[in-house]
């Protein structure tokens, strides 16, 4: 068999290169390289490969479009041979850049991991990243190619009746609208419906065989107004865990009582109004309004209530606490956030109104102190549950919102009205007597004296749920353009489109970070936040410091076991 000559091989290879869009190859490789730079959350090599493939495909599409636009406007090079070689040289330079960035990517990822005390990645991972990236890149470019063929075919048909360029623009508009309608109305909604059914079935089935609580004060018990089989898996951890009076006394050395926890599931009643009324009736049954502290909690999307958030509050007040939570969704918070962020607002407002109306009707000297709390999407819903203008005549006592999502208008308005000179990742509002922001719980323990209303926003600078911005697609975010937080990598830079995709992916990975980073908030920060918001009586500074140390020792297992005091729920 005769082997092809070197000249034939070179020509064949050149034809293959010429068949690839120079602009697409150029921008795609540039995006691929930039996606290897660090962001907020360290990425596993599989995730990094998927991100690189997606960014290459997006860059390829952008490059193809601008190359087509350049030619369509009649700006093509007069010398095709020169244009071809310039394009090849630029694409080759971007390929070298991509390979170089792959080499440096290990160090970039390890710089984030070192700050978070995570084991470094291995040096062989850049090769795996490049191999994995081929799959999503090929799939997305193939999908884009189908859409382009659809535009061309439609344009040909329309050109029989209208001018050619008008037909092309009409085809682009028509195919674009049909693709968007199909993607949003069929694919996206179908996937969300499937996810909702999956998480709903999981919520129902995962805890179907667990025994109901024997304590009559707990929701779901035989004496409870809330049927046990309507309380899902995540909610059962909240209901069944937590400290008893004896355990609080053993840890604090002070007399205590067993806290009250009320929970109403999404299946417990048909409408938000019915669920709020059921929660109010359950609160009356267990005597929630007789406690010194009453907290309205909005759980995260799946119905989860963070144990560290509730346990620390109950310790500080020696069990003299009643908390109530109402479920509003089955989806995880980040899915709800990008698809239906307002899903919990109606429930939050209905619950707040029912409890607030009862609370304001009570004598001020005998009623409990009323607080609001939420984590993640729960913080979004809780912050939207009322307007301060509606409660000025008789305000609640405070709120503790943790990891509030970027979409929250309440959080955004307060952040935008921060004092001049304070960074967006840690705003200062006025004299800080009413609202304080904290990157660590201890940040809010000093400052000007508090006023009658205390609101604390706890947010880690590395939390993408808080600091993602849709405008990052085309504009540098304020938390990168000004002074940056110490926990943000100095190697993190903003690049159009690429940084948007990086931080969007970080949202899905936000809870893979270690405790104290990303969207994984530490028990110590919950402890100090509640200490600032509720100012628990009967403690000396030395006693608080000693309790904080004890919580730090338990904190490593608390978030994993559903409470610091039991490794399994009680029956």
């Amino acid at each position: 068999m005769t082997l092809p000559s070197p000249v034939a091989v070179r020509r064949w290879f050149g034809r293959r290169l010429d068949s690839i869009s120079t602009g697409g190859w150029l921008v795609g490789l540039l995006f691929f390289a930039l996606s290897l730079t660090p962001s907020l959350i360290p990425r596993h090599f599989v995730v990094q490969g998927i991100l690189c493939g997606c960014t290459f495909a997006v860059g390829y599409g952008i490059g193809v479009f601008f190359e087509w636009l350049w030619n369509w406007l009649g700006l093509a090079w007069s010398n095709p041979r020169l244009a071809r070689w310039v394009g090849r040289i630029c694409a080759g330079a971007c390929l070298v850049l991509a390979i170089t960035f792959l080499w440096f990517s290990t160090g970039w990822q390890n710089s984030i991991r070192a700050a978070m005390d995570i084991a470094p990645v291995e040096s062989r991972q850049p090769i795996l990243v490049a191999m994995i990236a081929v799959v999503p890149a090929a799939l997305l470019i193939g999908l884009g190619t189908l859409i382009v063929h659809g535009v061309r075919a439609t344009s040909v048909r329309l050109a029989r009746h209208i001018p050619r360029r008008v037909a092309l623009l009409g085809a682009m508009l028509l195919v674009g609208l049909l693709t968007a309608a199909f993607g949003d109305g069929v694919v996206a909604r179908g996937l969300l419906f499937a996810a909702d059914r999956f998480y709903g079935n999981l919520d129902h089935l995962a805890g179907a065989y667990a025994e109901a609580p024997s304590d009559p004060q707990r929701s779901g018990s035989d004496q409870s107004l809330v049927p046990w089989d309507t309380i899902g898996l995540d909610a059962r951890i909240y209901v069944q865990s937590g400290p008893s009076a004896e355990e609080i006394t053993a840890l604090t050395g002070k007399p205590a009582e067993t806290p009250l926890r009320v929970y109403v599931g999404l299946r417990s009643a048909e409408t938000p109004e019915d669920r709020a009324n059921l929660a109010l009736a359950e609160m009356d049954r267990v005597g929630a309004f007789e406690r010194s502290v009453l907290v309205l909690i909005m759980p995260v999307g799946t119905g989860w209530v963070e144990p560290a958030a509730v346990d620390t509050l109950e310790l500080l007040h020696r069990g003299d606490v009643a908390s109530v939570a109402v479920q509003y969704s089955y989806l995880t918070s980040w899915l709800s956030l990008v698809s239906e962020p307002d899903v919990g607002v109606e429930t939050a407002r209905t619950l707040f109104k029912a409890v607030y109306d009862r609370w304001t009707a009570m004598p001020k000297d005998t009623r409990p102190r009323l607080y609001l709390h939420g984590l993640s999407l729960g913080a979004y819903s809780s912050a939207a549950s009322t307007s301060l203008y509606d409660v000025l005549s008789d305000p609640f006592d405070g709120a503790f919102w943790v990891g509030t999502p970027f979409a929250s208008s309440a959080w955004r308005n307060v952040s935008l009205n921060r004092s001049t000179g304070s960074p967006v990742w840690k705003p200062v509002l006025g004299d800080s007597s009413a609202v304080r922001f904290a990157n660590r719980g201890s940040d809010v323990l000093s400052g000007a004296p508090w006023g009658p209303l205390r609101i604390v926003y706890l947010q880690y600078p590395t939390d993408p749920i808080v600091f993602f911005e849709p405008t990052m697609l085309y504009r540098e975010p304020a938390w990168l353009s000004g002074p940056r937080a110490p926990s943000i990598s100095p190697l993190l830079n903003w690049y159009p489109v690429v940084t948007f995709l990086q931080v969007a992916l970080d949202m899905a990975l936000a809870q893979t970070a270690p405790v104290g980073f990303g969207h994984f908030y530490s028990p110590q920060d919950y402890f100090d936040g509640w200490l600032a918001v509720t100012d628990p009586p009967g403690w000396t500074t030395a006693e608080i410091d000693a309790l904080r140390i004890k919580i730090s020792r338990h904190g490593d297992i608390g978030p994993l076991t559903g409470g610091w005091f039991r490794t399994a729920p009680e029956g």
Side-chain angles (χ1 to χ4, degrees), residues 22-262:
T22 302
W25 184 249
L26 183 69
V27 182
L29 283 174
L30 180 62
F31 276 26
F32 177 94
L34 295 177
S35 69
L36 292 161
T37 59
S39 57
L40 296 176
I41 304 295
R43 295 184 287 270
H44 188 270
F45 72 89
V46 174
V47 176
Q48 181 64 66
I50 294 173
L51 174 64
C52 285
C54 292
T55 52
F56 176 85
V58 171
Y60 187 87
I62 292 174
V64 168
F65 172 76
F66 279 106
E67 184 177 4
W68 167 85
L69 183 63
W70 179 271
N71 294 327
W72 188 72
L73 292 174
L75 300 175
W77 289 51
S78 57
N79 189 333
R81 182 180 177 85
L82 177 62
R84 183 166 58 251
W85 278 104
V86 169
R88 289 178 181 179
I89 292 172
C90 291
C94 284
L95 179 60
V96 172
L97 180 68
I99 295 173
T100 304
F101 275 39
L102 272 170
W103 177 264
F104 284 111
S105 64
T106 299
W108 290 335
Q109 287 299 307
N110 285 339
S111 69
I112 307 175
R113 291 171 174 269
M116 297 184 177
D117 197 23
I118 305 176
V121 298
E122 300 176 7
S123 58
R124 63 181 175 85
Q125 290 192 358
I127 300 175
L128 299 176
V129 168
M131 294 172 61
I132 293 170
V134 173
V135 177
L139 290 174
L140 291 177
I141 291 175
L143 178 62
T145 302
L146 288 176
I147 294 174
V148 170
H149 287 327
V151 171
R152 288 175 176 172
T154 305
S155 175
V156 169
R157 294 179 182 275
L158 292 177
R160 299 171 183 173
H161 309 285
I162 57 178
R164 183 174 60 85
R165 293 197 173 191
V166 177
L168 178 59
L169 292 177
M172 293 173 62
L173 181 62
L174 180 61
V175 173
L177 289 175
L178 289 176
T179 302
F182 179 78
D184 179 63
V186 179
V187 178
R189 292 185 183 275
L191 291 175
L192 286 173
F193 178 76
D196 186 68
R197 291 200 62 178
F198 170 78
Y199 283 110
N201 291 333
L202 181 66
D203 184 72
H204 177 67
L205 295 175
Y209 302 104
E211 295 184 5
S214 58
D215 184 352
Q217 293 293 87
R218 295 184 182 271
S219 295
S221 65
D222 291 340
Q223 293 80 12
S224 173
L225 302 176
V226 182
W228 178 242
D229 61 0
T230 66
I231 299 177
L233 175 65
D234 285 348
R236 292 183 180 189
I237 296 175
Y238 163 74
V239 170
Q240 294 181 303
S241 67
S244 66
E246 294 77 15
E247 289 164 333
I248 294 176
T249 298
L251 197 60
T252 64
K254 295 177 179 291
E257 53 188 313
T258 299
L260 300 175
R261 297 185 176 187
V262 172

Side-chain angles (χ1 to χ4, degrees), residues 387-400:
S387 167
L388 290 179
Y389 297 108
D390 294 331
V391 298
L392 282 178
S393 61
D394 195 1
F396 54 92
D397 292 274
F400 185 26

Side-chain angles (χ1 to χ4, degrees), residues 525-538:
D525 292 329
Y526 279 112
F527 179 88
D528 288 332
W530 281 123
L531 182 63
V533 172
T534 64
D535 190 21

Side-chain angles (χ1 to χ4, degrees), residues 238 259-262 283 286-297 313-314 319-324 368-369 371:
Y238 163 74
L260 300 175
R261 297 185 176 187
V262 172
M283 293 168 67
V286 300
F289 289 97
E290 298 171 11
R291 295 298 174 99
S292 297
V293 173
L294 176 60
V295 184
L296 305 185
I297 300 175
L313 174 67
E314 293 168 345
D320 192 12
V321 176
S323 57
V324 56
R369 287 186 286 164
Y371 298 96

Side-chain angles (χ1 to χ4, degrees), residues 406 424 464 467-473 475-479 500 503:
F406 67 92
V424 68
F467 291 107
F468 175 80
E469 296 178 20
T471 56
M472 281 194 295
L473 190 68
R475 186 176 66 196
E476 185 176 18
W479 50 271
F500 171 88
V503 181

